[in-house]
Structure formats: structure tokens, C-alpha cells
Amino acid sequence: MPRLRARRHDSPTGPPRDRRVVGALRRVPLRVRLVAGFAAAMLLVLAGAGIFVYFRVQYALDLRLDEDLQAQSAQLTDLVHAGTLPQAAGREAVSAVGSFQVLDAGNHVIAGSRDLPAASLLTPGELRAALDRPVRTDRGRLLPISARPLRLYAVPLHAGGPPPPGQPAAALVAVRRNQRDEALRELIAQLTLANLAALAIASLVGYLLARAALQPVERYRTEAALIAAGATGVRLAVSDTAHDEVARLGHTLNDMLAALETALERERRFINDASHELRTPLTLLSTELELALRRPRTAEELEHTVRSAAADTANLIALADTLLSIGVRPIDTDTVPIIDFGALVTGVVNRYHHTTGATLHTTITADLAVRGDATRLQQVITNLLDNALRHGGEPVTVTAARTTNLIILTVHDEGPGMDPQFLPHATERFSRADNARTSPGTGLGLSLVEAIIRAHHGELRICSAGAHHLTDTRSETPCDHPPTGTTVTVLIPAA
């Protein structure tokens, strides 16, 4: 039984040959690929230019030969019509015409010059065409070199049909193409050498330019490798005088590195602060439970311990909820409902007034519709009032008004104000001013406010003692508030 030879196919999981070729090309350095592509394009351009020049020169040389052939053909035709050519093979009869043959309708030579062969130079098909119209053709090749290259020109001697056998039917003149072919061969050689030299120079210049253009990229890669290895504070060395695409890429990467380092430092500080803030209530909770278990306790003592532990657990849950709320994502203003922001502010202010008895002055205009999350926005108002009453001073003024496309909420207190150097850090998580560390709180209130306002595509401003801090610069609306105390301004796009 004959063996069946299995055909070899590419593995279903393996890449096909064209993918392997593409993969191999991608492993070639970029500068080499650029130079190869540039050289290929230059080769096509130079080859096209060389072909154009060659055919233009060939046309000019052939045109000169054709003019000479037409003049010779006119002389030969006049002699034939005058009857001065012998009917036999008298090849010495006409020499002033140059190289010629007089052919009959059977493609036989009636008369011809001594330098041409005795047989007709035309094929039967060419002769049939020459009996009706002038025919131009060549004998011998340009390459390889022919021993006797000729250009032929044949014209009919009789109109209205071929003459009887033995009578002149077509006049053929010929010129040597030696000089013309030699000029074309020399032109081909010079064009080839010139194009090769131009291609080599262009490729070298292209390689040098590609290397110079990609040198900053290689430098960026080396510096990025250092950064990936753990180096901090490293920036890409971008030239101050360059303004090309690579320089703009370097500046963009430096901005990205600065943003990443800022975010990393912020997250590191957040982790440290969160660990510190969580460690204290957890330690207290653990201590209370350990003390409760050291000796027998009465029911009242155990109940007191459990209630204290429950209060600490509730504080931890509130802290965790606040941390999760800070990471709120931007809302889609096309899908959330429209709410009455003025009624929302009024409700929170009335609740604070009834529960705390604080002095609150409110100015709320009409038509304060916004698109957003009512619970989140209520949390913003609550945190701002809580901060103003806890860390500021009464009276607290709450204003809500509308501009062309913004809803502006301001909460102003008459307290001592914030340190101007603390304003840029006021919205950082667990960040608290020195005079506020003795009061209860976690330092997450303004961080939560900023996160919610950003989620609503708004802007938060904190101004105190003549200093201003803007968390965003989306709006050009100027600040409008008293010069004393602390003013927090919220700008939200109106519905």
C-alpha cells in the first residue's frame, strides 16, 4: 500500500509566512527602514527620469535620421520615375542616393547600392505595407551590439495598386545607425552611473538625516528606561531651540511625567494619611475591646463598651464612604434629571438654621435649574455650611444666583480666614489647617466637594484674606465676595 505523504501546512496557531515577513521587517531598525523606503522612492524617480531622457534623446536622433531618409527617398523616387535605373542588377547606377534598393511587387531587388545585400531588406509583410504607404523600420539591435545596424525607409512608387511583375514597386533607402546607437549606449551608461551615484549620495544623506532626527527619540528611550527602573525627578532632555515634532513630543512626555509624579505623590500621601486616620479609631476600638475582656464586667459596662465600639465602627464606615465618594466619576449631563438647585440650597440652609440656631443670611434667585445628582449636590452644600460654621465665624452668608450659563453658589463666613499658603492644599485629602486640627473632622470635606463639583463639570474656588485658589479655569467669571473672612464659590453649568 503506497504511503500517503502529508502536506505541510502552516499551523493554525502559528503566523503565516506573510506575517513572519512583516515581523522580520519590523525587527529592522527604523532608520534602516526609512532609508530603504527613501532609496526605493529615489530609485523609481531616477529610473523614471532616466527613461524619459533616453526616449527624448532617441526621438531626437531618430528624427534626424528620418529627415535624411526622406531626402534620400525623394531623390531615389525621382530617378526611378525618370527611368534612369537599369532593369537588371546594375547596382552601380546610382551612388549619390546612398544606400538603396528598388523592389518589385514580389519583393525582388531590381536595383540596389553596392553596400547593401542582394536580397531584399524588407519582409513580405513590410513590403505589402510599403506598397500602400511609407514604412519605417530598423534592422539590428541596440543591445547586444549588432554588426550592421540600419534604419530603413520604404515608399510606394505607384499609386492605385502594385505594378506588373518585374517593374519597380517600392523604393527603399537605408542609413547606418552606428553613431545613433553608440550615442544611446553612452547615454545609458552615463545615466546608470549618474543615477547610482545620486542614489548612493541620497541614501547616505537620508541615513544621516534619519539618524539625526531619531537621535532625540533614542535619548528619550534611554531616559525613559531610567525612569522605569525607579529613578525619580528625571526629565527628558529636550532642546530649547527645537520646535519640531520630536521636541513637542519630548515636552508632552515631560508634562506627562510631571503629572504622573504629582499623582503618585498625591496617592502616596493619601495612603499615608489614610493609614494614619484609620489607625487611630482602629486602635481605640481594639483597646476598648481588650480592656472589656481583661476582667468580668457588668451588663451596664459591657453595654457601654459595645455602644462605644459601635460608634467607632460607624465613624469608620462614614470615613470609608467618604473616601469612596471622593472617587466619583463625571456624570453624563444628558441623562441625569433637571433639579431645582435653589430649592436644594434653601432646604439645607433651613435645616441648619433649625438644628444649630446659627445666623445664616441667604439670597437665592429664581430659575436655578441644573442637571445633576441631587444627593451629591446636597452633600456639597452641607459640607460647605459645616466648614463655615465649624472653622469660620458667624454670620454665614449663602448666595445662589445665575449668569448666562452658570449657577453660582457662594458660602461666606466672617471667621479669621485661611492661611494663603494653605489654600492650594485645602482640597487635598486629610489636609487640615493648623488652627483646625483641634476640632473634629477628617480633612475630607473640601476634597469631597471638589470631587462632586468636578463630576458635574463645574469649578470650585476658595478665597480668603485677599488670596484666591481656583481648582479649575473653565470659567472667566471674576470672583465677587467681601475682602474679609473666607468665601467658597461653586460654579455649575446651568440646565
Side-chain angles (χ1 to χ4, degrees):
M1 184 176 181
R3 288 187 177 179
L4 296 177
R5 298 183 62 185
R7 266 180 136 181
R8 184 177 179 182
H9 297 278
D10 288 329
S11 173
T13 58
R17 289 191 179 89
D18 55 349
R19 292 185 180 179
R20 289 198 294 268
V21 172
V22 172
L25 291 177
R26 288 179 178 176
R27 287 191 291 270
V28 177
L30 179 59
R31 68 184 67 178
V32 176
R33 282 185 280 164
L34 290 175
V35 173
F38 178 72
M42 283 293 299
L43 182 61
L44 292 177
V45 172
L46 293 174
I51 292 173
F52 175 78
V53 171
Y54 171 81
F55 281 111
R56 288 295 300 173
V57 173
Q58 183 188 35
Y59 173 78
L61 294 176
D62 289 344
L63 183 63
R64 179 64 181 271
L65 293 179
D66 291 340
E67 291 175 354
D68 295 340
L69 288 173
Q70 289 177 0
Q72 296 177 19
S73 177
Q75 295 180 11
L76 180 60
T77 302
D78 292 341
L79 292 175
V80 172
H81 288 161
T84 57
L85 288 178
Q87 299 297 322
R91 299 182 184 176
E92 300 177 358
V94 179
S95 59
V97 179
S99 301
F100 73 95
Q101 286 181 344
V102 178
L103 307 174
D104 63 4
N107 204 16
H108 300 111
V109 177
I110 299 176
S113 60
R114 182 176 298 177
D115 58 338
L116 295 182
S120 173
L121 293 176
L122 296 180
T123 63
E126 292 172 344
L127 176 64
R128 285 192 298 271
L131 296 178
D132 296 328
R133 54 181 174 79
V135 173
R136 292 184 180 88
T137 185
D138 290 316
R139 292 293 180 267
R141 297 180 179 180
L142 180 67
L143 291 173
I145 301 175
S146 299
R148 190 178 178 83
L150 297 173
R151 186 166 182 83
L152 309 179
Y153 182 66
V155 296
L157 294 175
H158 295 276
Q167 296 296 319
L172 171 70
V173 292
V175 293
R176 299 286 295 270
R177 295 199 333 261
N178 299 69
Q179 294 183 354
R180 175 257 195 191
D181 290 357
E182 183 64 26
L184 291 179
R185 285 191 290 268
E186 182 68 21
L187 177 63
I188 292 174
Q190 292 179 1
L191 287 175
T192 301
L193 293 176
N195 288 347
L196 290 177
L199 183 62
I201 295 174
S203 299
L204 178 60
V205 173
Y207 178 81
L208 296 177
L209 291 177
R211 186 177 66 178
L214 294 176
Q215 188 174 6
V217 178
E218 180 64 21
R219 187 170 64 249
Y220 296 166
R221 187 199 64 79
T222 304
E223 294 166 347
L226 295 177
I227 297 173
T232 58
V234 179
R235 292 295 181 269
L236 305 181
V238 184
S239 175
D240 297 331
T241 59
H243 301 284
D244 53 7
E245 293 82 355
V246 178
R248 291 197 294 270
L249 173 64
H251 289 299
T252 303
L253 291 176
N254 280 336
D255 294 339
M256 181 187 68
L257 290 173
L260 288 176
E261 283 194 0
T262 302
L264 182 62
E265 179 62 27
R266 184 178 302 172
E267 294 302 322
R268 186 183 294 113
R269 187 167 59 249
F270 165 74
I271 292 174
N272 294 333
D273 294 340
S275 301
H276 174 74
E277 294 293 334
L278 290 173
R279 185 184 298 113
T280 301
L282 288 174
T283 301
L284 292 176
L285 179 61
S286 177
T287 302
E288 286 180 327
L289 295 177
E290 288 179 359
L291 290 176
L293 295 175
R294 282 188 178 181
R295 61 181 177 84
R297 302 282 181 175
T298 63
E300 291 79 6
E301 292 175 337
L302 290 176
E303 182 180 358
H304 175 74
T305 301
V306 171
R307 290 185 182 279
S308 179
D312 292 338
T313 304
N315 292 333
L316 287 173
I317 294 175
L319 179 60
D321 290 339
T322 304
L323 292 175
L324 292 175
S325 299
I326 292 178
V328 63
R329 294 183 178 180
I331 64 172
D332 186 0
T333 55
D334 295 332
T335 58
V336 294
I338 297 178
I339 61 175
D340 188 350
F341 190 70
L344 204 64
V345 175
T346 301
V348 176
V349 170
N350 290 336
R351 187 173 69 251
Y352 259 85
H353 178 71
H354 291 305
T355 56
T356 64
T359 304
L360 301 174
H361 301 306
T362 59
T363 303
I364 302 174
T365 62
D367 191 19
L368 301 182
V370 299
R371 286 187 177 273
D373 187 340
T375 303
R376 297 293 187 188
L377 293 177
Q378 187 176 7
Q379 196 171 7
V380 167
I381 304 168
T382 301
N383 284 0
L384 294 182
L385 287 177
D386 188 64
N387 281 346
L389 293 173
R390 182 181 300 175
H391 306 295
E394 299 183 23
V396 175
T397 304
V398 180
T399 305
R402 174 172 181 159
T403 62
T404 304
N405 55 356
L406 289 174
I407 303 297
I408 302 177
L409 170 68
T410 60
V411 177
H412 174 75
D413 67 77
E414 294 295 339
M418 296 184 185
D419 185 357
Q421 296 181 354
F422 176 73
L423 287 181
H425 308 284
T427 58
E428 295 179 0
R429 285 166 285 194
F430 302 109
S431 178
R432 305 179 67 186
D434 293 336
N435 56 1
R437 294 188 180 278
T438 57
S439 60
T442 60
L444 294 174
L446 289 179
S447 299
L448 181 59
V449 169
E450 181 191 18
I452 295 175
I453 295 304
R454 283 184 180 275
H456 285 75
H457 311 284
E459 179 183 345
L460 176 66
R461 299 178 180 179
I462 305 175
C463 307
S464 182
H468 303 266
H469 172 64
L470 282 65
T471 60
D472 206 338
T473 56
R474 300 186 183 186
S475 174
E476 297 180 357
T477 304
C479 293
D480 184 14
H481 51 76
T484 59
T486 300
T487 304
V488 180
T489 305
V490 171
L491 293 86
I492 304 177

